Amino acid sequence: MIAVSAPGQTAAVSVFIDPMIAELDIGRSAISAAYLAGTLTGALAMPFVGRMLDRFGIRRVMVAIGLIFSIALCSLAAVSSVIGLTGGFVAIRMAGQGALSLAATTAVALWFERRRGTALGMVSAVGASAIALAPVLLESLIAQWGWRTTWLIQGVAVAVIVLPVAWFGMRDRPAELGQFPDGVVDGGADPTASDWGFTRQAALRTPYFWVVTSAIATVSLLVTAVNFHQISLLGERGLSSAEAAANFIPQTIANLVATFAVGYLADRVGHRGLLVACMACLIGGLVLATVVAPGPLAVVFGLLVGAAGGSVRAVEGASLPRYFGTAHIGAIRGTVSAIMVGSTAFGPLAFAGVFQFAGSYTPALLVSTAAPVAVIVAAMVIRPPERARD
């Protein structure tokens, strides 16, 4: 399910930007603004989606998400103006980048406890790898069939994959089948007893909740900005369009390794140190992007950016259920997803504005390092809450 969310993710959308600018006669700032509006509007739905997951379960909500996502992708094949493009961005960012990923990772959080970090790491790593590789495939399809047909192909693929897997393959919670998280057998115990946790309102009053949320929002904002303009940004440094698109490959490798590793470590060590390591990778990637060149430096840049994106997802996915429980995890993660998706809206427009004003992405990259530095300070100072089942 995370892999199939690729058409709504920035990495996949990025390869459509230049062809759509050329055919629709829309400026880079205008299309970035449409992406911002679409992403922000889609983000507003995430708390609602989280509550629906708690109320109606993973299975039914995921089917509804798949239908909306498929229709939206097919509709983008017919856009002819910035208004239609904005509407399409609203739907694919809400359903793909937000809701489908939220439903999938929430399902893992509900079905695992002792090895939740490892399980989330495995699921997120494979899904994120597919997302990061998607631009290479999509660029080939666009070159052969055009961007409109490629949007349509993605819409059909989502319907064919998501709907049957969601309906026949998903179950809401272990207690629904009389089971326990991690497959533990506990004869005579009540399966629902494992469902404990903070309400959303209580979680929002906890400082550590905002440390985790700030971390994932920072990475989402800045990695989205870099990925959205990656062809142009790396082109400024001497890479061809093909080389810039191929840089998603080292990002994929780093994303895969970091997600597995951090997910494994999240079950065994404190999460604050993992957040600091994630932010350090992000800072390194942003600084290196100002001097990157074809060859080894470009590969290291991709590794750092990919590691930041993969590790923060693993930490967030493991931290929230560990410290806030699973009874209301849909509503809690829905709020985090809303902030995360909303943050991705501002990065592309901010970088486009700086590029238009300064003729370079360097000022935006350097100023952006202040955000992960602030998260590092907060992670070192603020402690997570004690686990409480009351």
Side-chain angles (χ1 to χ4, degrees):
M1 295 295 99
I2 294 177
V4 179
S5 74
Q9 305 282 356
T10 300
V13 175
S14 67
V15 298
F16 289 87
I17 299 303
D18 288 346
M20 290 193 298
I21 287 175
E23 182 172 330
L24 299 178
D25 194 26
I26 299 174
R28 185 169 295 274
S29 292
I31 202 169
S32 297
Y35 195 73
L36 181 150
T39 302
L40 281 180
T41 306
L44 295 176
M46 289 306 99
F48 172 78
V49 173
R51 290 195 298 271
M52 293 303 100
L53 289 171
D54 289 334
R55 182 175 180 181
F56 296 109
I58 302 292
R59 187 188 190 192
R60 285 182 286 181
V61 173
M62 192 175 280
V63 169
I65 293 168
L67 284 171
I68 295 170
F69 193 22
S70 176
I71 293 170
L73 290 167
C74 292
S75 298
L76 276 169
V79 297
S80 59
S81 68
V82 70
I83 296 175
L85 189 61
T86 303
F89 283 158
V90 168
I92 68 169
R93 296 294 281 169
M94 175 192 70
Q97 199 261 357
L100 191 57
S101 297
L102 173 63
T105 51
T106 299
V108 178
L110 293 171
W111 279 84
F112 294 88
E113 184 173 355
R114 288 186 294 108
R115 297 187 177 180
R116 181 180 288 130
T118 302
L120 281 165
M122 295 173 65
V123 171
S124 298
V126 175
S129 298
I131 291 169
L133 289 172
V136 179
L137 173 62
L138 292 174
E139 186 179 44
S140 176
L141 290 175
I142 291 172
Q144 185 172 358
W145 300 100
W147 63 270
R148 293 185 184 275
T149 302
T150 303
W151 279 122
L152 188 62
I153 291 171
Q154 291 185 106
V156 173
V158 165
V160 169
I161 297 171
V162 173
L163 301 185
V165 171
W167 187 253
F168 296 108
M170 301 300 299
R171 293 297 181 269
D172 298 333
R173 292 173 180 262
E176 180 183 321
L177 303 178
Q179 299 179 10
F180 294 84
D182 299 312
V184 173
V185 177
D186 192 357
D190 180 7
T192 61
S194 60
D195 294 333
W196 69 276
F198 287 70
T199 64
R200 184 173 67 91
Q201 290 78 8
L204 264 60
R205 292 194 295 268
T206 306
Y208 188 73
F209 170 87
W210 293 106
V211 174
V212 176
T213 302
S214 297
I216 193 167
T218 297
V219 174
S220 298
L221 185 151
L222 297 177
V223 172
T224 297
V226 170
N227 288 163
F228 189 87
H229 297 293
Q230 182 159 306
I231 308 300
S232 173
L233 188 152
L234 295 182
E236 179 185 338
R237 297 296 170 187
L239 280 74
S240 67
S241 296
E243 289 173 331
N247 193 263
F248 284 110
I249 295 176
Q251 291 184 35
T252 300
I253 295 171
N255 198 300
L256 179 67
V257 173
T259 307
F260 269 119
V262 173
Y264 176 83
L265 291 172
D267 293 330
R268 292 160 175 81
V269 302
H271 294 178
R272 293 193 293 172
L274 298 177
L275 285 175
V276 171
C278 170
M279 293 300 108
C281 289
L282 180 58
I283 293 169
L286 293 172
V287 173
L288 187 58
T290 64
V291 296
V292 70
L297 278 181
V299 174
V300 175
F301 159 78
L303 293 175
L304 288 171
V305 171
S311 57
V312 78
R313 277 193 298 271
V315 177
E316 180 267 340
S319 290
L320 295 180
R322 176 177 177 178
Y323 296 115
F324 301 104
T326 59
H328 306 283
I329 192 62
I332 293 171
R333 297 195 72 241
T335 300
V336 176
S337 293
I339 296 171
M340 181 268 290
V341 175
S343 70
T344 64
F346 294 98
L349 183 60
F351 272 47
V354 171
F355 180 77
Q356 188 172 352
F357 177 78
S360 172
Y361 292 103
T362 297
L365 291 164
L366 293 177
V367 171
S368 297
T369 60
V373 169
V375 174
I376 287 176
V377 173
M380 295 176 66
V381 172
I382 298 174
R383 299 177 60 85
E386 294 294 332
R387 173 168 168 155
R389 292 180 180 271
D390 294 334

